[in-house]
Amino acid sequence: MKDREFVSVFRSSKKSDTYIYVRRGQVWDDLPEALRSIFGQPVHAMDLLLSPDKKLARTTGKEVLEALAEKDFFLQMPEEQETYIVDFRRKIEQRGK
């Protein structure tokens, strides 16, 4: 794992709240075919200089850098919600008001 690395972040065109972190300049076609087909067309979100101590919204720089060293990408999926039913009920109740 490197101390710092330039990273590009792309959001998925198929799945909401799904992002992939890759080294800046990564060739999309070099990533696994299964990943590319599920992810869809990448939409550039940002570039950043990442270090292990960097805190991100749902992960850390260390986790991303370790994944880049191991498999050339870090896939960030949406957080699972255990309260989907509760949220759904709230929406129904709010509509009734």
Side-chain angles (χ1 to χ4, degrees):
M1 179 176 74
K2 294 183 178 182
D3 288 338
R4 294 189 302 173
E5 189 151 4
F6 280 105
V7 175
S8 293
V9 183
F10 296 88
R11 66 179 171 83
S12 171
S13 61
K14 286 187 173 182
K15 299 191 176 280
S16 64
D17 293 330
T18 302
Y19 296 87
I20 190 166
Y21 294 70
V22 295
R23 289 180 186 91
R24 191 168 65 177
Q26 171 74 42
V27 177
W28 183 248
D29 290 338
D30 290 345
L31 294 172
E33 170 60 33
L35 172 69
R36 290 183 285 136
S37 65
I38 291 170
F39 193 80
Q41 187 66 32
V43 179
H44 185 260
M46 72 176 109
D47 293 317
L48 53 110
L49 180 60
L50 201 55
S51 60
D53 60 335
K54 178 80 172 166
K55 292 185 182 185
L56 302 167
R58 293 188 184 157
T59 189
T60 64
K62 182 180 179 191
E63 285 183 292
V64 174
L65 292 171
E66 286 174 348
L68 289 176
E70 182 181 323
K71 55 189 174 188
D72 293 330
F73 67 90
F74 175 83
L75 185 62
Q76 179 180 298
M77 303 291 287
E79 290 182 357
E80 288 188 29
Q81 262 190 319
E82 295 179 13
T83 59
Y84 281 129
I85 294 173
V86 173
D87 289 346
F88 181 71
R89 286 184 182 153
R90 277 193 201 127
K91 287 180 183 178
I92 290 173
E93 289 171 2
Q94 288 173 351
R95 286 185 182 169
K97 291 181 180 180

